[in-house]
Amino acid sequence: MRTTVKTILLVTLMFGTLISYATEITKPIKIGGKRVKVQFNAVKKGQALTIKDVNGVIIYKQDIQESGVYSKIFDLSLLKDGYYTTELEKDFEIIIQKIKVEKNTVTLFKQETTKVFKPVVRNEGNMLLVSKIAFKKQPVKVMLYYNNDMIFSETLEGKKLIERVYKLSKSEKGNYKLVLGTDGRMYTKEFTI
């Protein structure tokens, strides 16, 4: 009986210690073998998960089928040694985690998780509204096309919050395409007036 009480007390103390350190990540997590568990909380149906190599080539892409917690174990045994990213594309942001594959070991850099805020674009009639959060004041290249011909181009920079309204001609009806380049990514919005 006494041994059982000591064992229960020891397990409880160990479990409590583990819980108290569970959220503290001070160094990369090394995982033996080339398998890694990717987990994101608070995902929504329709969001997309991609795994990319260092050149931005998509190795894996999946649309999230259920809202809640997304968790999946990936076997990376066919990947060459190098750096990769997992990216969860949400409505207004992209959450990026870095992975390193080297000599049958996978290193997950959870403490280096970054967020990229996507530009928000709306068109109402002949008005085009563009906004982008840029905490590091990254430049945003704006290119507007009308029937596949570029009609306007500018680079916005130096602000943490970029907001712009473009008034398009009511008489120039047809197909428009807005292309935004920022954070090393391109975003496209097509619309018709």
Side-chain angles (χ1 to χ4, degrees), residues 4-23:
T4 306
V5 171
K6 283 183 182 179
T7 304
I8 292 171
L9 182 60
L10 179 63
V11 169
T12 304
L13 288 173
M14 287 175 56
F15 185 68
T17 302
L18 286 174
I19 296 262
S20 67
Y21 289 107
T23 57

Side-chain angles (χ1 to χ4, degrees), residues 43-104:
V43 299
K44 291 183 183 176
K45 183 177 179 176
Q47 295 175 346
L49 174 76
T50 56
I51 298 177
K52 296 180 181 180
D53 70 7
V54 71
N55 298 315
V57 175
I58 296 174
I59 296 166
Y60 175 84
K61 184 168 184 170
Q62 176 188 16
D63 290 333
I64 304 297
Q65 299 299 314
E66 294 181 21
S67 297
V69 175
Y70 175 87
S71 180
K72 185 170 183 171
I73 295 175
F74 289 93
D75 181 358
L76 306 178
S77 60
L78 297 177
L79 296 180
K80 295 179 183 177
D81 286 357
Y83 288 94
Y84 300 86
T85 58
T86 62
E87 300 184 3
L88 177 65
E89 189 168 335
K90 295 184 161 197
D91 296 331
F92 302 109
E93 67 183 355
I94 302 170
I95 301 172
I96 304 165
Q97 290 182 346
K98 194 161 76 171
I99 299 172
K100 180 181 178 184
V101 176
E102 183 179 41
K103 298 178 184 174
N104 292 325

Side-chain angles (χ1 to χ4, degrees), residues 106-162:
V106 176
T107 305
L108 183 62
F109 296 89
K110 279 196 167 253
Q111 78 280 11
E112 293 181 29
T113 298
T114 57
K115 287 184 182 180
V116 174
F117 292 97
K118 295 164 56 174
V120 177
V121 179
R122 290 188 340 228
N123 76 296
E124 297 176 6
N126 68 323
M127 303 294 278
L128 185 64
L129 302 102
V130 177
S131 63
K132 166 80 170 89
I133 297 172
F135 289 122
K136 296 179 183 176
K137 299 182 180 179
Q138 309 92 312
V140 177
K141 175 80 174 170
V142 178
M143 296 163 283
L144 184 61
Y145 296 84
Y146 172 67
N147 293 332
N148 294 322
D149 292 324
M150 184 183 290
I151 59 170
F152 180 77
S153 176
E154 74 173 330
T155 300
L156 308 171
E157 55 190 326
K159 294 184 179 182
K160 290 184 178 183
L161 179 60
I162 295 171

